[in-house]
């Protein structure tokens, strides 16, 4: 690909539509084999310059008879003459943005609302075009990867990213975790928002595994020791992994609320009646006391008596008892927890720190993961609603934007329960209360479509299941064309990104994470709060020691 | 380049030329030039002295090619014939006793006068005061216009643009495919990179005949350089 203002000429626009994409007939010099689905193309229209991506590649001919009488095999002259003239390559380009008329103009690229006129010339996009569209890495933009076959950086607008919920999808082993790590580093670097990460497999906090290369990669705590607090539910596991843990989290039985039981319906295999019995129990025992009171019952007879008292089907209550009794095996659930677990986490988040909650051995237990993340998120959300309302009433400052990161999101956001859970609420309420979600999942089809439609930015690695692909692309402009791009992603290090944080959909080779050089680049802080004397623009690389020293100085 | 004959019949799309010498017609597909006035006496009839006086009936032009003024018409030889001058006197076989054809002609010197070679030319463009134009001139060359073969430079210049193929491929021309083939083969030799020229010409033909693949194939087979 060229570095010139204009890329390599490809062909001319011969037809198409805004919904189906623009058809470009390739010149005889341009081979279909040099183009890929997802390649960026610029089209010089009469008044606008358009940029789009190749969504389909085809072989066409002016005379259908060529299929029946192809040029003789031995005659390369005839083959050469015919290809590109009678038989030609054609591509479909989906135009996404219009570029400033003249290079160097400061106008931002706008979403394309029309298409180039007939016979406009199409070119491969130059590095400069891509830079104009995806911006340069700066305080607001975070470099997430590179377009295929190009060295230009694709940058996400981090302000836009955290304003709405984010979805990271892809089947196992396609690089979801690495992509998420990069996003979290981006949020950390820019300092625009705090994040709370429900780290199911303990791979974001201290260190994670790069199974492809059989090596350990640094987690957020190692890169940003001063900004990241790690909590653990399983102290022993964290200690074994050498993870530096700031706090061990304990949750009191009194903190579990009937809404949490609703969330556990699927993992505990509870009927609707059984799950809603928890509300009756709360009425009976009182808020904060119901679970302990319920589990204190000694035998079946006691449960039957209680069922009669609270007017619940005894079988349903018994099954609820049996399932909830299983919660006793969780070491993090204690009768008398110290300070409120959620409050501790909120305290850290309000200070602008990023909290990673490691689940240790409980990560493999969906019930524990759902219970804890739901319980904490609900409390966090309540706190943020209060803070926001105070701020609106003039009684406080606006709460700092918060991103809640959840894995296996379909367990929280399945159509059956999304409307009742806090995550469904957060996803729908959007940024009203400055809390947004980052959902990470390998089965997006299991997530409530209403929630999916609220995701502002979607980043998806390879997906194979048709339903998953449909789910991810639902509601995305040009979804049909993106489908062909998405279904052809490679299984590693490639992702299709689209949504609010980007001017147009793009396939990227995700940025490298794991080498010393990548740590140096990723470990620096830019953006809000990072500008200090001696750090012009926050772009200088700051060592961990220097940062620690500076933070101590700032504190006192 | 040598003068080969004179226009004896003329029409908007082409003209017929009678050669000065028997069998001296240019090859099928060759490029010829008619009309225009030589600015200098540099041309002759197959080596004979040429008339160099300017013709007052031909409008004067400027910036012309090869020292010619006025409208110069270019065409491609599309049919060559040799026939008796007098249609009422059919040609008779005479060589029964002759050992070779050359001997036959030597022993019948009158044949040079009784027979004549003619060729038909399809006009492919012209050059006027404004420059070279790849389409038919407003008027064809006059009867008795001198006709010259084109030298390689003229051929290269006239065939640089391939618009003439459209005129050649038009209806009405018998064996048009042969003429196109012969013309392109000959023109290629005048270009610095013949293969490249043929490829370019082939693509232009493909554009013209995109809907007629068998015909395109037939012509390409005639011009294929490799």
């Amino acid at each position: 690909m060229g570095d010139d203002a204009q890329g390599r000429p490809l062909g001319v626009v011969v037809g198409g539509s805004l919904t189906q994409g623009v058809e470009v007939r390739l010149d005889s010099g341009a081979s279909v084999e040099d183009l890929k689905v997802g390649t960026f193309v610029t089209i010089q229209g009469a008044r606008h310059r358009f940029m789009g991506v190749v969504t389909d590649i085809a072989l066409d001919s002016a005379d259908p008879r060529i299929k029946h009488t192809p040029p003789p095999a031995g005659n390369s002259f005839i083959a050469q003459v015919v290809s590109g003239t009678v038989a030609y390559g054609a591509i479909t380009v989906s135009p996404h943005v219009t570029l400033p008329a003249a290079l160097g103009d400061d106008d931002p690229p706008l979403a394309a609302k029309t298409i180039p006129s007939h016979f406009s010339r199409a070119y491969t996009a130059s590095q400069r075009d891509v830079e104009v569209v995806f911006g340069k890495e700066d305080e607001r933009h975070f470099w997430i990867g590179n377009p295929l076959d190009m060295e230009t950086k694709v940058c996400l607008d981090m302000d836009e990213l955290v304003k709405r919920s984010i979805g990271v999808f892809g089947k196992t082993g396609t690089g979801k975790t690495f992509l998420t790590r990069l996003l979290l580093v981006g949020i950390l670097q820019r300092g625009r928002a705090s994040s709370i990460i429900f780290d199911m497999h303990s791979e974001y906090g201290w260190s994670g595994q790069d199974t492809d290369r059989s090596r350990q990669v640094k987690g957020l705590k190692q890169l940003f020791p001063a900004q990241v607090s790690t909590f653990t539910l399983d102290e022993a596991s964290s200690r074994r992994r050498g993870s530096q843990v700031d706090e061990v989290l304990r949750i009191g039985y009194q903190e579990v609320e009937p809404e949490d039981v609703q969330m556990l319906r699927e993992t505990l295999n509870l009927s609707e009646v059984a799950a809603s019995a928890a509300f009756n129990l709360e009425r009976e025992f009182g808020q904060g006391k119901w679970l302990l009171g319920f589990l204190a019952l000694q035998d079946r007879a006691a449960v039957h008596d209680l069922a009669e008292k609270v007017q619940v089907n005894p079988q349903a209550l018994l099954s609820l008892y049996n399932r909830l009794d299983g919660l006793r095996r969780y070491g993090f659930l204690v009768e008398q927890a110290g300070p409120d677990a959620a409050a501790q986490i909120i305290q850290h988040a309000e200070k602008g720190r990023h909290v990673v909650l490691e689940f240790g051995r409980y990560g493999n237990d969906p019930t524990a993961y759902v219970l804890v993340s739901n319980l904490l998120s609900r409390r966090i959300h309540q706190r943020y609603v209060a803070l926001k309302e105070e701020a609106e009433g003039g009684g406080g400052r606006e709460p700092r934007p918060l991103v809640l990161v959840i894995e296996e999101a379909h367990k929280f956001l399945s159509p059956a329960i999304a409307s009742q859970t806090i995550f469904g609420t957060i996803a729908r309420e959007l940024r009203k209360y400055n809390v947004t979600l980052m959902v990470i999942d390998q089965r997006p089809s299991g997530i409530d479509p209403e929630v999916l439609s609220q995701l502002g930015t979607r980043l998806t690695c390879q997906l194979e299941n048709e339903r998953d692909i449909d789910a991810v692309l639902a509601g995305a402009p040009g979804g049909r064309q993106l489908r062909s791009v998405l279904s052809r992603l490679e299984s590693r290090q490639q992702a299709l990104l689209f949504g609010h944080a980007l001017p147009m959909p793009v396939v990227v080779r995700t940025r490298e994470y794991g080498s010393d050089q990548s740590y140096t680049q990723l470990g620096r802080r830019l953006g809000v709060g990072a500008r200090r004397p001696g750090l012009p623009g926050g772009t200088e690389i700051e060592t961990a020691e220097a940062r620690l020293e500076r933070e101590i100085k700032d504190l006192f | 380049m040598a003068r080969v004959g004179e226009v004896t019949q003329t029409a908007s799309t082409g003209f017929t030329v009678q050669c000065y010498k028997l069998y001296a017609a240019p090859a099928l597909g060759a490029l010829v030039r008619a009309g225009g006035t030589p600015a200098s006496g540099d041309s002759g009839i197959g080596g004979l002295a040429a008339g160099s006086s300017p013709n007052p009936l031909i409008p004067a032009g400027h910036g012309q090619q090869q020292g010619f003024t006025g409208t110069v018409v270019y065409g491609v030889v599309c049919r060559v014939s040799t026939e008796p001058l007098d249609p009422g006197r059919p040609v008779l076989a005479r060589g029964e006793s002759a050992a070779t054809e050359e001997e036959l002609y030597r022993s019948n010197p009158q044949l040079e006068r009784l027979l004549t070679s003619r060729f038909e030319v399809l006009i492919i463009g012209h050059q006027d005061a404004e420059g070279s134009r790849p389409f038919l001139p407003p008027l064809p060359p006059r009867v008795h216009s001198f006709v010259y073969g084109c030298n390689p430079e003229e051929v290269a210049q006239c065939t640089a643009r391939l618009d003439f193929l459209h005129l050649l491929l038009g209806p009405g021309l018998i064996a048009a495919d042969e003429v196109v083939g012969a013309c392109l083969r000959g023109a290629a030799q005048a270009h610095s990179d013949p293969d490249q020229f043929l490829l370019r010409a082939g693509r232009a033909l493909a554009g013209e005949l995109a809907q007629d693949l068998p015909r395109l194939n037939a012509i390409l087979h005639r011009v294929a350089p490799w």
Side-chain angles (χ1 to χ4, degrees), chain A residues 207-454:
Chain A
S207 64
Q209 277 283 336
D210 181 350
T211 41
D212 284 351
R213 297 184 199 170
S214 321
R215 65 175 179 185
Q216 287 276 328
V217 292
K218 288 187 184 181
L220 300 176
K221 180 78 176 171
Q222 289 194 60
L223 288 175
F224 300 92
Q227 282 92 39
V228 177
S229 306
T230 36
F231 283 63
T232 186
L233 287 176
D234 182 358
E235 196 181 1
S237 150
S238 297
R239 206 182 308 121
R240 276 197 300 278
R241 286 181 296 104
S243 171
Q244 282 186 12
V245 176
D246 295 301
E247 312 246 4
V248 178
L249 199 71
R250 293 277 174 263
I251 294 169
Y253 280 99
Q254 74 278 8
E255 292 181 46
V256 180
E257 293 175 22
E259 285 88 347
D260 298 321
V261 179
Q262 290 288 328
M263 287 288 289
L264 297 175
R265 261 185 60 198
E266 200 176 312
T267 57
L268 290 181
N269 195 17
L270 279 171
S271 69
E272 199 178 337
V273 180
S276 58
F279 289 99
N280 300 44
L281 293 174
E282 191 184 34
R283 271 199 299 279
E284 174 66 24
F285 290 102
Q287 204 178 359
K289 296 178 195 146
W290 71 274
L291 185 56
L292 269 179
F294 185 44
L295 292 181
L297 298 179
Q298 292 301 320
D299 50 24
R300 292 171 70 99
V303 175
H304 273 276
D305 291 347
L306 182 64
E308 217 159 284
K309 200 171 169 196
V310 298
Q311 293 178 331
V312 176
N313 179 320
Q315 281 310 317
L317 197 64
L318 193 62
S319 82
L320 178 67
Y321 180 85
N322 289 336
R323 305 296 200 288
L324 291 184
D325 195 47
L327 300 183
R328 289 179 193 274
R329 68 179 186 275
Y330 297 143
F332 57 82
L333 269 182
V334 290
E335 292 201 6
Q336 277 305 321
D340 185 335
Q344 288 178 56
I345 290 180
I346 293 168
Q347 219 176 2
H348 281 261
E350 279 180 354
K351 279 188 204 154
R353 294 169 71 86
H354 301 257
V355 179
V356 182
L357 176 58
E358 295 188 342
F359 277 71
R361 68 173 183 276
Y362 304 113
N364 295 324
D365 185 334
T367 307
Y369 188 72
V370 173
L371 174 70
V372 172
S373 46
N374 185 53
L375 185 146
L376 293 176
S377 299
R378 202 180 48 250
R379 304 289 292 276
I380 292 162
H381 183 251
Q382 279 166 4
R383 171 78 183 142
Y384 263 69
V385 169
L387 281 174
K388 180 79 182 183
E389 284 168 355
E390 272 172 34
E392 279 171 359
R397 61 178 177 82
E398 189 88 352
R400 188 179 160 80
L402 177 70
V403 181
L404 294 179
V405 183
I406 49 168
E407 297 184 80
E408 303 281 342
H410 62 270
K411 290 196 165 55
F412 307 87
L413 295 167
S414 69
I417 57 170
S419 58
Q420 302 156 27
T421 69
I422 187 61
F423 294 107
T425 313
I426 295 173
R428 278 191 303 274
E429 281 176 355
L430 286 172
R431 52 193 171 133
K432 216 190 289 176
Y433 298 111
N434 289 10
V435 183
T436 52
L437 287 182
M438 185 190 290
V439 294
I440 303 162
D441 206 307
Q442 44 182 305
R443 294 304 311 268
S445 57
I447 298 178
D448 185 24
E450 199 191 328
V451 172
L452 274 181
S453 70
Q454 298 298 335

Side-chain angles (χ1 to χ4, degrees), chain B residues 2-3 38 44 57 108 122 221:
Chain B
R3 202 161 89 201
L57 293 172
N108 292 285
L122 194 77
H221 273 294

Side-chain angles (χ1 to χ4, degrees), chain A residues 524-546:
Chain A
R524 65 193 184 190
R525 277 199 85 201
L526 307 167
V528 179
R531 269 176 188 248
R532 285 165 207 284
L535 289 173
T539 48
E540 252 178 43
I541 296 161
E542 198 183 8
T543 62
E545 290 84 340

Side-chain angles (χ1 to χ4, degrees), chain B residues 4-28:
Chain B
V4 290
E6 276 175 34
V7 175
T8 56
Q9 225 181 352
T10 182
S12 285
T13 53
F15 49 87
T16 307
V17 181
Q18 183 177 4
C19 296
Y20 291 126
K21 295 171 83 177
L22 188 62
Y23 299 126
L28 185 74

